[in-house]
Amino acid sequence: MGSFHLTKMSLRNLFKKPATKMYPVVAPTYTSRSKGHVTCDMKECILCNICEKRCPTHAIAVNKPDETWSIDNFSCIQCLSCVRACPKACLTMEPDYTKAAFTKSTVTLHKPELTPEEKAAKEAAEKEKAERIAKAKAAKAARDAAAAASE
Amino acid sequence: MGKRTVIPFGPQHPVLPEPMHLDLVIEDERVIEAIPQMGFIHRGLEKLVAKKDFMQFVLVAERICGICAFGHSLGYSETVEALMGIEVPKRAEYLRVVWHELSRIHSHLLWLGLLADAFGYENLFMQCWRLREDVLDIFEETTGGRVILTACNVGGVEQDIENSELAGIVIRLDAMRSEYGELLKTFLKDRSVKSRLVGVGYLSKEDAFKFACVGPFGRASGLEDDVRMFGFGAYGDLAEFAPVVSNDGDGYARCEVRALEVLQSIDIIKEMVDKIPDGPFNQKIKGAPEDGSYSSSRLEQPRGECYYFAKGNGTKFLERFRIRTPTSQNVAGMVQTLQGCELADVPLNVLTIDPCISCTER
Amino acid sequence: MHNEKPQVFIDIDYHELSQRIADYDERGWRFVNICGSTVEGGVELIYSFSDGLPLENLRFTVSNEEIIPSVSDRFPNAFFFENETHDLFGVRFSGISIDFDGEFYTVAVPTPMNPHSADAREAAANNTYGAANYGECPVPEPAPVSAPEPEPAASTDTADDSSTGEEVR
């Protein structure tokens, strides 16, 4: 019984630094698992569209012809469904969250331009593939002609 | 006989965490009758089972309420697992209990703060919430979210907590005990607090049984009712569990029951961390609930017994999912305690059922 | 030990309901929940009762026109669930202790979970969805606009406006 049971705690708190932080002047401390916003490593992204299908709020939009991947950070509910579903593991959840703004905005990422070596390698691979297909088609045509001639 | 007036209470009120309306018929500062009205936060979330498949719906179930967020995702997962006959790995069950008990600690600390605010002791309110921040920090470190955790899913839990991290959590909770002890002393022994709580909103054991009160509200009136006693999930591996019960039935008893449950939860977490087995924390789910399958499950949320019901129809969308929250059971008991109380005690009586209207109305 | 096994769902005939309710009340069981679910031709209701560990669910189907006696005389806290089932599914109960008569949840469309209930069909036939939305607060009608006259006749126009009966302060 009695009163003023909180005196000890109040006096102690008088001489301790405050439990709150002057956010946003002071940066918040994030943990390694903090959920902020999702970002994509465009070099690895194959624009397969799985993240768009898994997103429960339809925040992600993938445009294969334009080679862009965009996300509406204000719609994202940080559920990590896309991060877990990505087959190339190119999506990551960054800890810092989207700041408040007056209008909603979308973040669009483009696939990076290929370097000259990568372009040459890609063209060489495509040329080789075309030659292989042409050779196989010629061989098949020769086989069909031979079969027709023998009948 | 004095003149009777009708005073509206709510839906906006500083003491209420969520909107609720009461029409109080009063006569000379004494409440004769209270007529409740709900529906301010009905969002029709149960209809979303038709739009989100059963694996995605756990995200919706979580966002029904901010205070009991993990509890609803856990109850949903358990119900769908019972529907499809899935066995969850043991480690996942233990981790779920750890998070659920942490959720109970944070919910009770929140409620204690609101109670202190309800009778005007703002300093105590601030201290309770400052202590609660430690628990929210634990949530952020283990799951990434402070309030909405996204930790539980059908088949297990989303991520693991390392054993070293678990040991760290137990150390931090033990460190909280000394500060929490000071708050407990204030709640239970301070003269001004006692004068506002003792004898206020009395509900006898017979009435509590008649109105089927659940949770700490019922346990404060002497009903020994706690779903954790039945040993579902990892609760069955506890060495012993006895619910915290008081026989006084007034506001002080309800405060005491909830305050002591925090200490009980810390002990449960410690025991779980000691006994946790190694192994997988998740398993892949294949298929969908069968057509014509039914299941129900119960969970002891911080506010009481929560009942879940699921019905499958062969597709990946559930046919029906229902949550019956403890607050909807306790509303009738609350209306009973309001009869005959003073007008100044109305906010206190409303708060002692720990109203979580957003999960009641979904 | 995992969750409750087995799940007890008892299929009953609707007419046995009052007998079963009285039986549970006498045995001292606690009322847990009423859950509705739309099925072909009506609503499937599940009443749940519990006595500590045992939990039994009674399952039966009613048509959209049936009127069910309320259980709130024996189990006072059932009024919440009966009002909710009435508002969302259109199931009619007679004798609820606190009856909100459809105003428990303010829903935009009557009986949103059951589009074939009697209330929903009636509202669709009369096209009264708007009225269900606004209740007693009528949408004000715009004041009639008179044809503009070439010479300034402001005094005649204001006289017309005030004669419609709407007082503008």
Side-chain angles (χ1 to χ4, degrees):
Chain A
M1 271 296 241
S3 311
F4 302 115
H5 283 280
L6 273 190
T7 319
K8 203 164 110 187
M9 192 188 264
S10 305
L11 283 175
R12 208 168 51 221
N13 287 338
L14 207 58
F15 298 107
K16 266 204 300 196
K17 61 182 180 113
T20 49
K21 280 205 184 100
M22 286 273 287
Y23 175 80
V25 175
V26 172
T29 41
Y30 296 115
T31 68
S32 61
R33 290 197 180 108
S34 280
K35 294 178 191 160
H37 67 272
V38 174
T39 192
C40 181
D41 180 4
M42 288 312 284
K43 274 185 79 95
E44 302 294 326
C45 179
I46 56 171
L47 303 163
C48 65
N49 235 334
I50 289 182
C51 53
E52 181 176 345
K53 291 192 194 110
R54 285 291 165 88
C55 179
T57 53
H58 312 295
I60 298 183
V62 177
N63 196 335
K64 201 148 185 174
D66 291 345
E67 293 198 331
T68 58
W69 178 93
S70 64
I71 183 167
D72 180 358
N73 277 317
F74 291 92
S75 292
C76 172
I77 56 171
Q78 292 98 29
C79 63
L80 290 173
S81 306
C82 56
V83 173
R84 293 194 180 107
C86 180
K88 290 285 172 192
C90 57
L91 290 170
T92 41
M93 174 71 81
E94 306 280 318
D96 46 323
Y97 47 84
T98 317
K99 293 215 167 36
F102 286 106
T103 48
K104 288 191 183 181
S105 57
T106 331
V107 169
T108 311
L109 301 171
H110 299 263
K111 261 197 111 48
E113 283 286 324
L114 299 168
T115 62
E117 296 92 17
E118 283 172 352
K119 259 197 201 144
K122 193 172 165 189
E123 278 174 18
E126 277 179 11
K127 199 164 143 196
E128 197 222 318
K129 188 173 166 188
E131 279 174 9
R132 256 187 302 137
I133 292 177
K135 234 202 240 174
K137 273 199 180 139
K140 186 168 183 293
R143 272 203 310 268
D144 288 341
S150 63
E151 277 170 20
Chain B
M1 168 135 142
K3 206 169 73 145
R4 291 191 179 185
T5 26
V6 177
I7 293 189
F9 177 88
Q12 309 277 55
H13 198 279
V15 85
L16 292 172
E18 277 119 8
M20 190 176 91
H21 181 81
L22 286 171
D23 279 314
L24 303 167
V25 178
I26 65 163
E27 185 182 308
D28 296 340
E29 288 247 359
R30 198 154 275 274
V31 174
I32 310 293
E33 205 187 333
I35 303 153
Q37 175 160 1
M38 313 248 172
F40 297 97
I41 201 150
H42 177 73
R43 293 155 287 172
L45 290 177
E46 288 181 348
K47 212 161 150 67
L48 276 179
V49 274
K51 290 236 172 93
K52 307 276 173 201
D53 62 69
F54 73 96
M55 290 295 287
Q56 269 187 344
F57 191 80
V58 72
L59 301 168
V60 176
E62 211 172 25
R63 285 159 174 80
I64 289 177
C65 172
I67 315 174
C68 355
F70 185 76
H72 285 312
S73 65
L74 175 58
Y76 173 79
S77 304
E78 285 194 343
T79 315
V80 175
E81 282 151 14
L83 194 70
M84 294 172 63
I86 300 170
E87 280 286 327
V88 175
K90 265 276 174 225
R91 191 179 174 90
E93 287 188 356
Y94 277 68
L95 287 174
R96 281 176 173 182
V97 169
V98 167
W99 270 314
H100 195 213
E101 292 302 317
L102 280 170
S103 184
R104 190 184 313 275
I105 296 174
H106 113 84
S107 169
H108 283 330
L109 279 172
L110 187 151
W111 181 81
L112 285 170
L114 287 181
L115 184 73
D117 198 34
F119 47 70
Y121 202 155
E122 273 203 41
N123 189 15
L124 188 55
F125 160 53
M126 299 291 179
Q127 300 305 330
C128 283
W129 280 50
R130 182 178 56 80
L131 206 62
R132 180 179 162 247
E133 288 294 314
D134 290 342
V135 180
L136 296 182
D137 281 341
I138 295 178
F139 277 148
E140 191 168 7
E141 282 167 24
T142 49
T143 63
R146 279 160 49 98
V147 174
I148 304 289
L149 307 184
T150 320
C152 196
N153 64 0
V154 180
V157 291
E158 292 274 10
Q159 66 249 353
D160 199 7
I161 315 181
E162 307 285 315
N163 286 340
S164 53
E165 257 190 283
L166 286 170
I169 290 174
V170 170
I171 293 174
R172 278 154 76 174
L173 288 174
D174 272 335
M176 260 171 62
R177 273 188 209 252
S178 65
E179 277 211 75
Y180 182 66
E182 292 183 47
L183 297 178
L184 198 62
K185 211 160 91 170
T186 314
F187 270 111
L188 298 181
K189 299 220 165 45
D190 195 276
R191 201 156 46 114
S192 54
V193 171
K194 273 183 130 167
S195 71
R196 284 306 298 269
L197 284 179
V198 174
V200 165
Y202 176 70
L203 193 70
S204 65
K205 192 168 173 180
E206 292 76 32
D207 271 345
F209 183 75
K210 187 172 100 167
F211 291 104
C213 297
V214 293
F217 185 61
R219 287 201 280 279
S221 295
L223 296 177
E224 257 194 56
D225 216 356
D226 191 329
V227 178
R228 289 177 286 172
M229 290 190 308
F230 306 143
F232 300 141
Y235 286 111
D237 292 341
L238 285 174
E240 53 158 353
F241 178 80
V244 180
V245 174
S246 161
N247 282 318
D248 293 337
D250 57 5
Y252 182 79
R254 291 169 207 144
C255 174
E256 192 185 19
V257 165
R258 288 192 178 98
L260 293 177
E261 276 191 1
V262 171
L263 294 171
Q264 190 187 45
S265 292
I266 298 181
D267 288 334
I268 292 179
I269 294 177
K270 211 165 168 178
E271 202 181 325
M272 287 280 124
V273 167
D274 284 336
K275 292 182 177 167
I276 191 167
D278 289 320
F281 57 87
N282 203 345
Q283 65 175 38
K284 269 201 124 7
I285 305 297
K286 292 197 194 347
E290 289 171 9
D291 192 8
S293 50
Y294 291 78
S295 79
S296 68
S297 84
R298 282 180 290 173
L299 194 62
E300 179 73 17
Q301 289 231 358
R303 280 153 190 79
E305 174 211 60
C306 199
Y307 167 87
Y308 299 86
F309 166 80
K311 180 172 161 190
N313 64 358
T315 64
K316 62 178 181 177
F317 299 101
L318 288 176
E319 170 81 23
R320 176 85 171 102
F321 180 70
R322 162 99 172 131
I323 305 178
R324 195 278 317 205
T325 50
T327 309
S328 43
Q329 285 272 67
N330 286 336
V331 163
M334 173 187 82
V335 168
Q336 178 69 17
T337 58
L338 283 173
Q339 284 182 5
C341 80
E342 302 240 348
L343 186 60
D345 288 331
V346 166
L348 222 79
N349 279 334
V350 169
L351 202 58
T352 45
I353 65 164
D354 208 349
C356 190
I357 310 292
S358 51
C359 11
T360 308
E361 294 178 16
R362 300 161 308 268
Chain C
M1 198 200 324
H2 203 64
N3 214 325
E4 349 206 8
K5 279 187 175 114
Q7 314 269 328
V8 179
F9 283 91
I10 306 174
D11 284 298
I12 64 167
D13 191 52
Y14 157 58
H15 303 288
E16 297 175 36
L17 182 67
S18 356
Q19 169 62 36
R20 292 252 184 185
I21 303 278
D23 184 43
Y24 281 125
D25 191 21
E26 266 148 50
R27 283 195 281 163
W29 280 48
R30 180 166 53 90
F31 171 81
V32 172
N33 184 32
I34 301 179
C35 173
S37 167
T38 311
V39 292
E40 193 74 47
V43 177
E44 182 190 53
L45 286 175
I46 299 197
Y47 278 56
S48 309
F49 294 89
S50 156
D51 182 33
L53 180 55
L55 174 76
E56 289 180 9
N57 303 297
L58 300 176
R59 183 167 54 194
F60 59 97
T61 315
V62 294
S63 73
N64 284 317
E65 277 75 28
E66 202 113 31
I67 300 181
I68 305 180
S70 161
V71 302
S72 50
D73 49 346
R74 287 180 184 275
F75 299 104
N77 57 336
F79 81 93
F80 186 99
F81 307 102
E82 292 178 341
N83 275 299
E84 187 189 10
T85 316
H86 172 75
D87 280 4
L88 295 180
F89 288 93
V91 177
R92 293 178 209 192
F93 293 89
S94 68
I96 313 180
S97 55
I98 307 180
D99 196 346
F100 286 86
D101 204 21
E103 302 289 324
F104 194 53
Y105 289 163
T106 320
V107 282
V109 172
T111 71
M113 308 278 279
N114 183 8
H116 303 293
S117 72
D119 292 333
R121 277 180 278 138
E122 187 189 316
N126 301 341
N127 204 7
T128 51
Y129 280 178
N133 220 346
Y134 293 113
E136 294 94 63
C137 199
V139 179
E141 287 182 347
V145 177
S146 48
E149 296 183 357
E151 63 268 44
S155 54
T156 349
D157 276 39
T158 38
D160 274 352
D161 281 337
S162 58
S163 67
T164 54
E166 280 193 37
E167 265 193 16
V168 178
R169 282 175 210 234

